Amino acid sequence: MNPIEVTEDMCKADTIKLRNRHIGKSCQLFYKGAPLKIVRGQGQYMFDEEGTRYLDCINNVAHVGHCHPRVVAAGCRQMALLATNNRFLHDGLVKCAKRLADKAPGDLSVCFFVNSGSEANDLAIRLARAYTKQKDIITLDHAYHGHLISTMEISPYKFNQPNGDIKPDYVHVAPPPDTYRGKHTSRTHSDDELAHLYAAEVEDIIAKVRGEGRGVSAFIGESLQSCGGQIIPPEKYLSLVYNAVRKVGGIVIADEVQVGFGRVGTHFWAFEQQNVIPDIVTMAKPIGNGHPVGIVITTPAIAEAFASSGISYFNTYGGNPVSCAIVNAVLDVIEDENLQENALKVGQHLIEQSKTLKYDFDLVGDVRGSGLFLGIELIRDRQTLEPATEEATFIVNRMKDLHHILVSQDGPNNNVIKLKPPMVFNVENADEFLLAFRECLSTLAGLEEKHAEDVGQTTSTPLVCTAPETKILQSSEVMIKAL
């Protein structure tokens, strides 16, 4: 595929000026200190206005690769033919729904099409309440499920911010099953014990709700928690939680926006790794390769309960012909290019090689993931697990500025380096990341040694932000000039 020549409408400085004037300040950019102006994408790469190529390790939204030609062609063909709302019959909608139902286990077979993950999770809440006639919902700490009022209410990642809204009484927060630095850890418990301990936290919430004379509508959780720091739950956790919720008449919602469609490598859906079947599954933009589409799939019984209210549901552009053509093309590409198998092969290599870094660098505390969903947690002390937040920021910026690799940081302490690249990410890309990441870790180790020598201490002394030398952590550009 030949690169497309891109002509800028305005220089980067003018783009920034107009953005500062006309775009809300709460709409934040990646790399706020030195934002990128990306003008083109292709596969697992992005290009700025100067033609610099960046390896993209963060855009799970471009699920089958930026601007995949088959996806682009499908969208263009349909847009040239018809783009209208979904209240007319069209084959693309029912074909897409059937394909997703065929890939879903159990009774999951009825689809609702929306425009985003936020809308999908909002509708999932409505479906749960219509079916159970209850309002209380259980979520996991640090979870993010969308930016609508209803989904912000079940997103501790947002409402726990200093100026966040007060959590409603009908929302209950359980500890995430973080076996590394969570409430219960693998230091003192086996995986089986951890599954039961974390499930018991949900059971305690259920008992409290019922003790107050109410019932549980639903438990909602990402099958693998993303914003919480790339959390992989212990085996049997979801099964225990799902059973506890269903035992009292509640239902379970699996948010698969970040981790569905083969990303985990072993299965098409991440929840399948724990041998469970949710009552509702939500999905969004990755299934449209970045096109604004969201989908909810549920059981006939839940869909019927929603319909029995007599209030019709429609979403003007959810499931429009263009969106459905794109989703069908994405499903074709996942299957024809064996992207689930690629995620398994490349992910295993990436995770295994990342784990070896723990032996060479004390900064690397934990490596966890599945397929092309990876988190590397950085710490300053292996006993206290003090989070290395500033060091994570340094690495994110240095990876961009020196190595032209895009990664992000997340988790409650913002100390987890997070990778969820396009599914066309290959072994060579993984090795490119590993080499650059090792260089960043080595640079930080060198800074720490120098700091220890300057202050007359041992090299085990943590590099703290108050040390003069560590001003370099604030900008990788400064460090690059110093090399």
Side-chain angles (χ1 to χ4, degrees):
M1 180 179 179
N2 295 323
I4 301 171
E5 185 176 345
V6 177
T7 303
E8 287 185 277
D9 292 332
M10 60 188 74
C11 69
K12 183 175 179 178
D14 287 344
T15 303
I16 291 173
K17 286 178 184 178
L18 278 182
R19 183 181 176 94
N20 290 339
R21 182 179 302 169
H22 297 297
I23 304 300
K25 290 183 179 179
S26 58
C27 302
Q28 296 185 351
L29 291 163
F30 285 129
Y31 310 105
K32 289 181 287 186
L36 288 174
K37 184 175 182 181
I38 297 297
V39 299
R40 183 170 70 87
Q42 182 176 343
Q44 60 273 56
Y45 302 106
M46 301 176 78
F47 300 81
D48 69 11
E49 79 285 2
E50 295 178 346
T52 303
R53 189 194 78 175
Y54 294 88
L55 177 62
D56 183 2
C57 298
I58 58 179
N59 267 295
N60 69 301
V61 172
H63 190 67
V64 299
H66 293 281
C67 304
H68 194 290
R70 290 179 64 183
V71 177
V72 172
C76 289
R77 280 196 304 270
Q78 185 58 55
M79 190 176 292
L81 183 64
L82 176 68
T84 186
N85 69 59
N86 70 3
R87 300 183 79 180
F88 298 97
L89 285 172
H90 69 87
D91 293 343
L93 177 71
V94 294
K95 179 182 176 183
C96 182
K98 183 181 185 303
R99 293 181 73 176
L100 288 170
D102 288 344
K103 289 186 174 294
D107 291 334
L108 293 167
S109 58
V110 181
C111 293
F112 295 84
F113 285 72
V114 294
N115 298 294
S116 69
S118 296
E119 284 190 26
N121 284 325
D122 173 83
L123 179 56
I125 295 168
R126 290 181 61 191
L127 290 167
R129 288 176 178 168
Y131 182 74
T132 64
K133 311 303 181 186
Q134 303 292 339
K135 191 173 185 179
D136 287 62
I137 190 165
I138 302 170
T139 186
L140 294 174
D141 206 2
H142 314 305
Y144 174 66
H145 294 292
H147 58 76
L148 301 179
I149 291 175
S150 61
T151 53
M152 290 282 281
E153 289 179 346
I154 59 170
S155 297
Y157 184 75
K158 291 294 185 181
F159 67 64
N160 277 342
Q161 298 294 326
N163 295 315
D165 292 337
I166 297 173
K167 177 183 73 64
D169 291 340
Y170 51 80
V171 174
H172 310 276
V173 180
D178 181 352
T179 62
Y180 181 69
R181 70 158 60 245
K183 186 173 181 180
H184 313 287
T185 74
S186 57
R187 287 186 173 192
T188 53
H189 299 285
S190 68
D191 276 359
D192 187 67
E193 290 172 334
L194 288 166
H196 282 83
L197 285 168
Y198 277 113
E201 300 283 352
V202 176
E203 291 169 356
D204 289 345
I205 291 173
I206 293 171
K208 181 177 181 294
V209 170
R210 287 170 62 81
E212 294 171 354
R214 303 192 307 277
V216 173
S217 174
F219 167 86
I220 184 169
E222 294 175 278
S223 304
L224 308 179
Q225 198 173 9
S226 180
C227 290
Q230 308 294 85
I231 302 302
I232 311 297
E235 190 178 352
K236 298 181 182 177
Y237 169 74
L238 288 182
S239 177
L240 292 167
V241 169
Y242 282 21
N243 288 339
V245 172
R246 287 170 171 155
K247 188 176 179 180
V248 296
I251 64 172
V252 291
I253 303 167
D255 183 334
E256 289 269 325
V257 172
Q258 299 270 8
V259 293
F261 328 121
R263 176 162 294 278
V264 297
T266 56
H267 299 81
F268 190 80
W269 309 103
F271 61 76
E272 291 179 301
Q273 290 188 321
Q274 297 225 346
N275 296 310
V276 295
I277 302 175
D279 301 297
I280 300 174
V281 179
T282 60
M283 58 201 92
K285 289 176 283 290
I287 196 62
N289 212 45
H291 185 79
V293 59
I295 304 169
V296 179
I297 188 167
T298 189
T299 66
I302 292 174
E304 181 58 35
F306 187 57
S308 66
S309 69
I311 301 173
S312 66
Y313 177 82
F314 67 91
N315 187 305
T316 303
Y317 293 109
N320 70 81
V322 176
S323 294
C324 290
I326 289 172
V327 171
N328 281 316
V330 169
L331 290 170
D332 287 339
V333 172
I334 292 172
E335 294 168 1
D336 295 346
E337 297 186 9
N338 301 314
L339 293 186
Q340 180 177 320
E341 293 80 357
N342 182 69
L344 180 62
K345 181 185 75 171
V346 179
Q348 285 178 339
H349 174 74
L350 183 58
I351 293 167
E352 288 170 4
Q353 293 301 310
S354 295
K355 285 182 177 179
T356 66
L357 297 171
K358 293 195 291 184
Y359 300 105
D360 296 331
F361 301 98
D362 290 340
L363 192 65
V364 179
D366 191 37
V367 176
R368 50 186 179 261
S370 180
L372 291 176
F373 180 85
L374 174 69
I376 303 174
E377 182 154 355
L378 304 183
I379 56 170
R380 291 179 177 168
D381 187 289
R382 292 200 170 179
Q383 295 302 313
T384 65
L385 304 187
E386 179 187 357
T389 302
E390 290 83 0
E391 290 86 341
T393 300
F394 169 82
I395 287 174
V396 167
N397 287 326
R398 187 174 179 81
M399 290 287 278
K400 170 180 73 79
D401 295 333
L402 182 62
H403 300 290
H404 300 152
I405 298 175
L406 307 182
V407 297
S408 62
Q409 62 194 107
D410 218 326
N413 300 294
N414 224 25
N415 67 319
V416 179
I417 301 297
K418 178 176 176 179
L419 283 80
K420 44 187 181 64
M423 295 277 281
V424 292
F425 203 76
N426 59 39
V427 171
E428 290 74 21
N429 300 142
D431 287 340
E432 182 181 350
F433 162 79
L434 289 161
L435 183 64
F437 191 61
R438 178 176 284 274
E439 187 280 332
C440 292
L441 292 170
S442 298
T443 299
L444 280 170
L447 285 173
E448 186 170 296
E449 277 189 32
K450 184 177 185 304
H451 168 60
E453 291 172 1
D454 289 348
V455 298
Q457 297 176 340
T458 66
T459 56
S460 62
T461 303
L463 186 68
V464 292
C465 296
T466 54
E469 293 82 359
T470 62
K471 290 179 181 178
I472 206 165
L473 292 173
Q474 299 171 9
S475 172
S476 58
E477 294 175 359
V478 176
M479 185 61 205
I480 293 167
K481 292 175 182 176
L483 293 175

